[in-house]
Amino acid sequence: TLTCQQVGYFSGRLQKFNTFSQMRVCVCLCTDVSAQEQPELFLKKLQQCCAVFDFMDTLSDLKMKEYKRSTLNELVDYVTVSRGYLTEQAYPEVVKMVSYNIFRTLPPSDSNEFDPEEDEPTLEASWPHLQLVYEFFIRFLESQEFQPSIAKKYIDQKFVLQLLELFDSEDPRERDYLKTVLHRIYGKFLGLRAFIRKQINNIFLRFVYETEHFNGVAELLEILGSIINGFALPLKAEHKQFLVKVLIPLHTVRSLSLFHAQLAYCIVQFLEKDPALTEPVIGGLLKFWPKTCSQKEVMFLGELEEILDVIEPTQFVKIQDPLFKQISKCVSSPHFQVAERALYYWNNEYIMSLIEENSNVILPIMFTSLYRISKEHWNPAIVALVYNVLKAFMEMNSTLFDELTSTYKSDRQREKKKEKEREELWKRLEDLELKRSLQSDGIIPT
Amino acid sequence: RTKQSLAFKMAGADSDDSLYPIAVLIDELRNEDVQLRLNSIKKLSTIALALGVERTRTELLPFLTDTIYDEDEVLLALAEQLGNFTMLVGGPEYVHCLLPPLESLATVEETVVRDKAVESLRKISHEHSPVDLEVHFEPLVKRLASGDWFTSRTSACGLFSVCYPRVSSTVKAEIRQHFRTLCSDDTPMVRRAAASKLGEFAKVLELEYVKSDIISLFTALASDEQDSVRLLAVEAGVSIATLLPQEDLEALVMPTLRQAAEDKSWRVRYMVADKFSDLQKAVGPEITKNDLVPAFQNLLKDCEAEVRAAAANKVKEFCENLPEDSRETIIMTHILPCVKELVSDTNQHVKSALASVIMGLSTILGKDNTIEHLLPLFLAQLKDECPEVRLNIISNLDCVNEVIGIRQLSQSLLPAIVELAEDAKWRVRLAIIEYMPLLAGQLGVEFFDEKLNSLCMAWLVDHVYAIREAATCNLMKLVEKFGAEWAQNTIVPKVLGMANDPNYLHRMTTLFCINALSEVCGQEITTKHMLPVVFKMSNDQVANVRFNVAKSLQKIGPVLDSNCLQTEVKPVLEKLASDQDIDVKYFAQEAISVLSLA
């Protein structure tokens, strides 16, 4: 849908388009005119395609819509096959045509609370044209004749900013094209790289801390995945900050499942670049560990396993204590999928070898939970898995295992005693507070 | 010295250190279990009290400042606690001790924590003396305003307005400068925070600076590249407009507001529509007539349904607040034509927003105009395909009732009500039930008995419990309106008849109705008509019915006289108390004890 201003503007354009098309309706760009005339006709056709049609009204301008579609098709073919077409004057016209067509305020979502997991996305009505514009733009960017040094005058920060806003489109087809477009721009315009990263940062921060709504998170993360891959070592502070302050908090968002795979990929990329980041990453995941959403907990456990797959033993030692305290909580989760996902770690050979090396630390952390659920868990499959884990521990370090078994009861009693002491402390503190308030009543001069 | 601070002084003086070593208390704040840590933080005031003011300042606060890396939930509790800590650190002269931990909290990532820290900072800012404000508080604001990461700059935005009024003019100039810088910050998050505080900041500024500084900031933010910033400037614009003298409005604010009403982003236009009544009050009658009326027409005709719905919501308020001398003319010639179009809008949210306010126009336009111009619209909306639209019309009938009387509508009302009463969505049925007592009052007992009574009874056997429950409550309200005699003649027989229904759920509904009706019907009807039925149901073969008999007896006991309780109710409850079913026993015993029949 168009705003009033746009309508005014376009109706003017439309008229131009109308007369122009009648004049040139059968002149084909590639075949009907001589090579010298082609660049000029190319410019004219670009200008024609600046006219934008209202696709919400399915009956209006049918002929014109069809004509524009075939013109766009011609343009796509032309940039693909022609040589020597890209004159300097063509650049601003291409960018103008693309801008007029793709940059628009995205409409409000049809369903009041659009839930990407539940609802069907609203598809872009103008797709028959929009797709060809994207197609054309990508061919243009990928063309052998394309010169970033000229294009950078037109594909600037403002252009990129508007492009990034479009990633919020509900139409997955559009986001897919945008992904390719942004990827090409990031690849070809070195001067825009830092700016693009910063704006993506801002989008993510707004998403995490303000709106929790942005449709293109997965696509942006996918692009970032390959950007991170190309980071030079040692990593700049800016990139580390991005990891800790933006990527890790992305885990807190309700709709994590929609982009978790891409997010986990980015995280692992970072760790493969610089293993020293393991500690802040795992610390961050533990800080944001889901408290009420079991589905997210399973995702966290999956991501953690991916991280453990690439962890260096020296890094593992640094984080094993808090990490296994969390795993021990997951193992005893009443939600069997969470418990099961955590217990699967013991099927991972590399993780097993790390646990074995550090069994003197990990076994005492895990033992209580394992021992308790082996007797208490409602799900027989979980109990069976726990027996296997206990068995593995027994084989690993039988002395410690026996010791822990024999002290299990007295340890529980000690915990209970401590619990009681805490209650008494707080009771004394509350009595004190009460006494003080009585005192204060007493000493007030009346 | 206040009473309270004296009390705390005394408390501090005799606190027994050996009993509450800080290590033990800090251990509690460090506990591995988040829940326990959270509990301790929530009782931070108790800990501070135990330590006394001196040690709270020298030991507890430094500890808290140093260890601010925790779960956000713990930090949130801490930020809240510290806002109420002034007395616990020794009163206003020491309140600045609270600034370091709150400063750290104001820089964390999580928005709720930051907001809470800012809220606490705003609170304790008032407890600072003017000197402390300049020595301690204002430097903190400056540090936050020039922080590296956006979070601290965002927090700073909310602190300018609380310190500005009480500092020297040099410091004031600095504060204005900092605010100006943040309004053009690099990150949109900070610009959004600044835009959202612009109105508040303008209110504490001297008028000359409102004109020189604020207007240019407002204009810049209102044309920001991001629509999320521009839309926040709209609200600021409304506040600013209330501050300026009428003669400056046209030149300083109106061009920007006009531009916002035509912004290319629907979000901004939505915001204008949403704030339209405030805007109207802020700019006064003349500008309203010349500018806002055409702007409002455009918003009502906007291409985005979202904007139209927001504007439709404001129709009544806007019309109400039009200057009296030209109100009717403006409504009839400019607003009503747009409203007519909205009645057949393609979007149901728009129609439903309109339906929720359109009836209010009748009081403004008076009887003749209502009958001639509004009534056709009401009737059209009563036949709308979307139940929400019809419901909104029905729920606002009282406005029309006052002006033209409901009879004008009753012929069209009935089919609409019947259709809603049978809607497939139970929430729609529930909503119409809730309006039944109101409708009954307006339509009168005759109309009700003739047309609506059967609907009310039908709801009692609805297959959704929530509907049956609401229907029960509805009967009670109807009896309150029409009286006990009416109840005895029209509804009690039907309700009691259901006691013999083969479906145990319907039999239980009888009991629920009795629970609701006994009090409004009074002792006589309850004892004579209802009680025998309850007794009879105590022999029901379904345990759920039997224990509901026990519950009903407990409920209606207070309405009965003591003789009846002793001689009739008691034996039945005693029998139920020896029932085979454990729940029946439980509720029977409960009733016996509540009614003191043991």
Side-chain angles (χ1 to χ4, degrees):
Chain A
T1 35
L2 303 171
T3 66
C4 313
Q5 290 162 309
Q6 279 172 324
V7 170
Y9 174 79
F10 288 128
S11 59
R13 287 243 145 215
L14 212 58
Q15 214 151 15
K16 224 162 118 194
F17 188 81
N18 217 337
T19 48
F20 199 78
S21 67
Q22 277 160 4
M23 264 159 46
R24 293 276 193 162
V25 75
C26 33
V27 180
C28 178
L29 193 48
C30 305
T31 51
D32 291 0
V33 296
S34 68
Q36 291 96 316
E37 278 182 89
Q38 280 180 7
E40 208 202 322
L41 188 55
F42 177 56
L43 292 185
K44 283 191 174 144
K45 297 229 171 199
L46 282 172
Q47 279 159 8
Q48 285 183 323
C49 288
C50 285
V52 176
F53 293 92
D54 180 6
F55 273 82
M56 297 312 274
D57 184 349
T58 46
L59 297 173
S60 70
D61 305 316
L62 284 179
K63 254 183 155 170
M64 303 299 298
K65 283 176 185 165
E66 175 52 28
Y67 179 74
K68 178 169 168 184
R69 201 190 56 78
S70 68
T71 310
L72 283 168
N73 264 325
E74 268 180 54
L75 291 173
V76 172
D77 292 344
Y78 184 67
V79 289
T80 317
V81 297
S82 298
R83 291 287 166 264
Y85 73 97
L86 257 185
T87 59
E88 224 175 307
Q89 298 101 290
Y91 284 85
E93 293 303 322
V94 167
V95 175
K96 194 166 112 193
M97 189 280 275
V98 171
S99 302
Y100 276 154
N101 279 282
I102 66 171
F103 295 152
R104 64 211 190 277
T105 307
L106 295 168
S109 188
D110 261 354
S111 42
N112 229 355
E113 283 276 303
F114 175 65
D115 177 357
E117 279 174 283
E118 294 279 333
D119 303 328
E120 282 291 312
T122 310
L123 296 180
E124 181 54 54
S126 61
W127 193 243
H129 286 177
L130 209 51
Q131 177 181 22
L132 293 171
V133 175
Y134 279 117
E135 193 69 53
F136 165 77
F137 192 41
I138 290 169
R139 305 270 175 111
F140 166 74
L141 291 169
E142 289 175 349
S143 153
Q144 285 178 340
E145 295 181 15
F146 179 76
Q147 286 179 277
S149 55
I150 302 173
K152 75 179 180 193
K153 269 184 267 174
Y154 313 105
I155 297 179
D156 54 4
Q157 294 193 347
K158 192 162 180 247
F159 184 92
V160 167
L161 202 59
Q162 289 172 280
L163 193 73
L164 285 168
E165 290 293 328
L166 289 177
F167 275 83
D168 194 20
S169 167
E170 239 178 76
D171 193 329
R173 300 169 303 182
E174 178 166 23
R175 296 202 304 271
D176 209 48
Y177 271 106
L178 284 164
K179 198 170 68 186
T180 316
V181 170
L182 186 65
H183 211 163
R184 297 291 170 272
I185 292 179
Y186 192 88
K188 289 181 194 277
F189 297 84
L190 304 190
L192 285 172
R193 286 185 176 184
F195 180 80
I196 291 173
R197 290 198 304 269
K198 199 162 129 201
Q199 295 310 321
I200 294 180
N201 255 353
N202 288 343
I203 288 174
F204 283 170
L205 289 168
R206 181 179 61 181
F207 174 63
V208 174
Y209 294 114
E210 293 181 13
T211 61
E212 288 222 357
H213 179 93
F214 193 85
N215 290 314
V217 176
E219 284 81 3
L220 290 175
L221 282 169
E222 211 174 301
I223 298 170
L224 282 166
S226 59
I227 293 179
I228 296 164
N229 214 332
F231 282 162
L233 288 172
L235 288 175
K236 286 189 201 162
E238 175 214 325
H239 301 327
K240 289 184 191 171
Q241 190 181 48
F242 171 65
L243 169 70
V244 175
K245 298 220 171 194
V246 184
L247 286 186
I248 299 286
L250 268 175
H251 287 86
T252 61
V253 176
R254 203 171 33 173
S255 55
L256 177 67
S257 64
L258 295 172
F259 53 86
H260 182 251
Q262 292 83 352
L263 179 58
Y265 178 80
C266 288
I267 301 275
V268 173
Q269 289 293 306
F270 261 113
L271 296 182
E272 292 207 89
K273 286 263 165 194
D274 184 357
L277 292 168
T278 310
E279 215 178 333
V281 164
I282 291 189
L285 287 179
L286 294 178
K287 182 178 168 185
F288 294 132
W289 201 271
K291 303 257 179 334
T292 54
C293 180
S294 312
Q295 195 201 354
K296 267 175 82 174
E297 226 176 330
V298 173
M299 286 187 255
F300 270 55
L301 284 164
E303 182 172 346
L304 213 46
E305 184 165 0
E306 283 182 53
I307 294 172
L308 289 173
D309 272 332
V310 299
I311 202 168
E312 286 183 1
T314 49
Q315 296 295 328
F316 180 81
V317 178
K318 288 188 198 161
I319 49 86
Q320 58 181 354
D321 186 70
L323 176 64
F324 277 86
K325 278 179 182 150
Q326 182 57 56
I327 292 175
S328 129
K329 277 186 211 154
C330 294
V331 161
S332 44
S333 166
H335 196 301
F336 81 97
Q337 286 172 333
V338 175
E340 186 184 61
R341 187 67 193 83
L343 289 163
Y344 280 165
Y345 282 14
W346 275 263
N347 295 342
N348 182 314
E349 271 179 40
Y350 181 61
I351 298 178
M352 265 303 260
S353 73
L354 292 166
I355 294 176
E356 189 159 8
E357 265 168 59
N358 301 284
S359 64
N360 55 332
V361 180
I362 295 169
L363 181 49
I365 298 173
M366 295 296 299
F367 186 79
T368 315
S369 299
L370 292 172
Y371 193 83
R372 198 168 44 78
I373 43 176
S374 72
K375 301 197 183 312
E376 284 175 12
H377 205 281
W378 63 272
N379 185 305
I382 296 298
V383 174
L385 282 169
V386 166
Y387 271 116
N388 286 339
V389 171
L390 281 171
K391 206 168 132 243
F393 271 128
M394 204 154 60
E395 283 160 9
M396 253 177 229
N397 196 337
S398 59
T399 345
L400 182 57
F401 191 89
D402 289 343
E403 203 178 298
L404 288 167
T405 320
S406 61
T407 57
Y408 178 79
K409 262 202 179 138
S410 54
D411 284 349
R412 290 301 73 72
Q413 271 162 358
R414 202 172 328 122
E415 268 172 32
K416 271 192 190 143
K417 198 171 153 238
K418 233 176 135 187
E419 182 65 28
K420 226 176 150 195
E421 279 170 8
R422 162 173 310 111
E423 270 173 35
E424 273 166 22
L425 170 74
W426 281 107
K427 211 174 156 304
R428 285 209 309 263
L429 286 173
E430 269 148 33
D431 287 349
L432 175 85
E433 200 175 4
L434 204 69
K435 208 174 81 196
R436 290 277 158 78
S437 67
L438 286 178
Q439 250 178 13
S440 69
D441 287 346
I443 53 165
I444 297 162
T446 46
Chain B
R1 173 155 297 177
T2 65
K3 296 175 197 177
Q4 228 188 350
S5 78
L6 183 63
F8 282 111
K9 280 272 164 198
M10 300 289 290
D14 73 353
S15 91
D16 183 353
D17 293 354
S18 61
L19 192 55
Y20 310 107
I22 186 152
V24 177
L25 299 174
I26 283 182
D27 256 8
E28 283 297 284
L29 294 171
R30 267 193 191 133
N31 198 301
E32 237 171 60
D33 186 328
V34 190
Q35 193 52 51
L36 290 176
R37 234 161 40 228
L38 189 60
N39 292 345
S40 320
I41 281 282
K42 284 186 175 158
K43 291 182 192 154
L44 197 63
S45 58
T46 311
I47 294 180
L49 195 57
L51 290 172
V53 293
E54 177 108 27
R55 298 187 66 195
T56 298
R57 287 199 301 268
T58 55
E59 293 173 54
L60 183 62
L61 287 178
F63 163 76
L64 291 173
T65 314
D66 289 342
T67 51
I68 293 180
Y69 177 82
D70 202 333
E71 304 246 353
D72 293 324
E73 212 178 339
V74 178
L75 297 184
L76 175 66
L78 178 59
E80 185 169 7
Q81 288 277 320
L82 290 177
N84 301 314
F85 241 57
T86 310
M87 287 309 162
L88 295 166
V89 293
E93 60 184 298
Y94 295 103
V95 66
H96 58 86
C97 299
L98 298 173
L99 297 179
L102 282 172
E103 181 174 354
S104 308
L105 289 167
T107 64
V108 302
E109 256 71 37
E110 179 51 52
T111 325
V112 286
V113 176
R114 244 187 298 138
D115 288 350
K116 190 53 91 180
V118 170
E119 195 186 311
S120 289
L121 280 168
R122 286 167 70 110
K123 210 166 172 186
I124 64 167
S125 74
H126 303 297
E127 283 155 352
H128 282 70
S129 67
V131 176
D132 280 349
L133 206 59
E134 277 194 27
V135 177
H136 299 286
F137 198 88
E138 200 269 339
L140 168 145
V141 179
K142 268 198 259 177
R143 278 195 300 280
L144 288 176
S146 43
D148 280 340
W149 190 241
F150 78 96
T151 51
S152 68
R153 303 201 297 280
T154 309
S155 294
C157 294
L159 296 173
F160 294 116
S161 66
V162 290
C163 49
Y164 189 84
R166 293 202 291 143
V167 292
S168 66
S169 56
T170 351
V171 180
K172 279 184 175 177
E174 282 173 29
I175 292 179
R176 288 196 304 274
Q177 179 52 45
H178 277 290
F179 193 82
R180 205 175 301 137
T181 314
L182 293 183
C183 283
S184 54
D185 196 276
D186 200 23
T187 45
M189 285 79 80
V190 178
R191 294 202 302 281
R192 277 195 287 276
S196 69
K197 300 292 178 196
L198 182 64
E200 173 191 298
F201 189 55
K203 280 186 192 149
V204 298
L205 249 59
E206 297 79 1
L207 187 59
E208 53 173 313
Y209 294 119
V210 173
K211 287 190 200 171
S212 60
D213 285 28
I214 296 290
I215 295 297
S216 64
L217 296 176
F218 166 59
T219 316
L221 290 168
S223 47
D224 195 277
E225 64 198 4
Q226 303 239 341
D227 60 0
S228 55
V229 179
R230 295 201 299 277
L231 68 88
L232 290 167
V234 172
E235 210 176 345
V238 175
S239 306
I240 295 167
T242 54
L243 300 171
L244 292 173
Q246 190 71 32
E247 64 268 22
D248 288 326
L249 286 177
E250 180 53 47
L252 297 180
V253 196
M254 286 318 290
T256 311
L257 286 176
R258 246 177 249 133
Q259 169 199 318
E262 289 173 3
D263 197 282
K264 67 178 191 292
S265 162
W266 62 270
R267 289 185 188 85
V268 180
R269 302 196 305 276
Y270 171 89
M271 199 59 161
V272 175
D274 195 48
K275 300 281 168 228
F276 216 79
S277 303
D278 299 333
L279 182 61
Q280 185 185 8
K281 280 180 205 138
V283 298
E286 276 314 303
I287 296 182
T288 296
K289 268 192 261 180
N290 300 333
D291 273 281
L292 296 196
V293 171
F296 194 58
Q297 285 175 293
N298 284 337
L299 292 170
L300 289 172
K301 288 188 250 175
D302 198 278
C303 57
E304 268 324 327
E306 221 87 353
V307 180
R308 291 199 302 279
N313 254 322
K314 300 288 165 191
V315 163
K316 182 197 155 199
E317 240 180 303
F318 181 73
C319 293
E320 230 167 27
N321 296 328
L322 285 169
E324 217 163 317
D325 56 348
S326 49
R327 188 190 289 156
E328 195 174 319
T329 332
I330 295 178
I331 297 177
M332 296 307 291
T333 50
H334 300 289
I335 307 297
L336 206 57
C338 302
V339 169
K340 276 183 187 156
E341 273 176 51
L342 291 184
V343 167
S344 49
D345 199 278
T346 48
N347 183 291
Q348 68 171 58
H349 298 295
V350 177
K351 288 186 291 188
S352 144
L354 181 69
S356 66
V357 298
I358 189 173
M359 310 288 269
L361 291 180
S362 43
T363 16
I364 306 171
L365 288 177
K367 191 170 174 181
D368 294 339
N369 279 327
T370 301
I371 293 176
E372 195 184 337
H373 298 284
L374 294 177
L375 201 55
L377 305 181
F378 300 159
L379 294 177
Q381 291 217 297
L382 267 180
K383 294 194 192 95
D384 199 277
E385 55 182 7
C386 163
E388 209 182 313
V389 175
R390 283 174 267 148
L391 206 56
N392 283 347
I393 290 289
I394 291 174
S395 61
N396 285 297
L397 281 175
D398 46 337
C399 321
V400 195
N401 197 16
E402 287 160 21
V403 182
I404 58 167
I406 209 157
R407 293 276 161 185
Q408 296 265 8
L409 278 170
S410 56
Q411 282 315 308
S412 312
L413 266 180
L414 198 62
I417 294 172
V418 172
E419 211 177 309
L420 288 169
E422 290 162 357
D423 196 280
K425 293 197 190 79
W426 67 268
R427 283 180 198 282
V428 174
R429 299 201 297 278
L430 185 65
I432 187 76
I433 294 178
E434 277 162 9
Y435 292 115
M436 253 323 137
L438 188 76
L439 282 170
Q442 287 166 356
L443 292 164
V445 66
E446 263 171 59
F447 187 92
F448 183 86
D449 281 344
E450 197 182 318
K451 319 271 188 188
L452 300 178
N453 193 17
S454 55
L455 284 179
C456 292
M457 300 316 287
W459 283 320
L460 288 174
V461 293
D462 197 284
H463 61 274
V464 175
Y465 176 75
I467 299 298
R468 298 197 300 273
E469 192 189 24
T472 311
C473 181
N474 173 44
L475 288 187
M476 183 181 77
K477 287 182 186 153
L478 290 173
V479 176
E480 279 170 0
K481 264 205 165 73
F482 295 149
E485 199 184 326
W486 173 83
Q488 198 186 338
N489 294 331
T490 43
I491 57 170
V492 171
K494 287 185 194 165
V495 165
L496 297 181
M498 282 164 58
N500 301 317
D501 198 289
N503 185 335
Y504 85 100
L505 290 171
H506 297 171
R507 298 202 295 279
M508 290 213 302
T509 305
T510 298
L511 290 170
F512 297 148
C513 288
I514 290 174
N515 294 347
L517 293 176
S518 65
E519 208 188 321
V520 280
C521 285
Q523 197 184 59
E524 203 196 323
I525 297 178
T526 308
T527 318
K528 249 195 193 155
H529 300 278
M530 297 179 183
L531 200 57
V533 176
V534 179
F535 287 155
K536 203 176 134 219
M537 292 171 86
S538 69
N539 298 316
D540 201 290
Q541 50 184 332
V542 177
N544 298 43
V545 177
R546 294 201 302 279
F547 76 65
N548 272 298
V549 166
K551 283 165 106 176
S552 286
L553 288 173
Q554 179 184 330
K555 178 94 188 155
I556 65 177
V559 182
L560 306 170
D561 71 36
S562 58
N563 184 30
C564 167
L565 278 174
Q566 286 296 336
T567 59
E568 296 183 61
V569 175
K570 192 176 169 185
V572 174
L573 283 174
E574 276 169 351
K575 198 184 87 198
L576 290 172
S578 57
D579 198 282
Q580 288 175 327
D581 186 276
I582 181 169
D583 294 317
V584 179
K585 269 193 213 168
Y586 172 84
F587 287 109
Q589 271 152 8
E590 192 184 68
I592 289 173
S593 102
V594 170
L595 297 172
S596 323
L597 295 173

